[in-house]
Amino acid sequence: MAVNKKYHKRIEEGFKDIFKTETQKGNFDGLITIVEEPLVKHQIIQLAKLCEEIPVSVTLKNTSNGVFIEFW
């Protein structure tokens, strides 16, 4: 499922506000960010609110480089 273009700006702003990270393009028109430090409680709450606002799938993976978050 591709992210609708009207949600791209909201997701990019959300990543920047919540995690202070840049957004990268993912597969199938998805948007990705990698958070290098552990997530804290308020970031998880803000991410949950962003997920409620935007009707797309979300993937969170813990990798050796940090937490990988993708809206797709």
Side-chain angles (χ1 to χ4, degrees), residues 1-3 7 11 15 18-19 30-33 39 43-44 46-61 67-72:
M1 178 177 166
V3 176
Y7 298 120
I11 293 169
F15 284 162
I18 298 168
F19 306 110
L31 298 171
I32 300 169
T33 194
L39 298 180
Q43 289 175 321
I44 295 169
Q46 289 177 318
L47 179 61
K49 289 178 183 177
L50 183 62
C51 291
E52 286 180 341
E53 295 173 9
I54 301 174
V56 296
S57 298
V58 179
T59 302
L60 280 83
K61 291 182 189 175
V67 178
F68 174 90
I69 302 170
E70 179 178 20
F71 278 76
W72 54 279

Side-chain angles (χ1 to χ4, degrees), residues 25-43:
K25 301 296 180 192
N27 296 332
F28 307 109
D29 205 26
L31 298 171
I32 300 169
T33 194
I34 299 174
V35 183
E36 295 178 356
E37 65 273 350
L39 298 180
V40 294
K41 184 178 179 180
H42 77 274
Q43 289 175 321

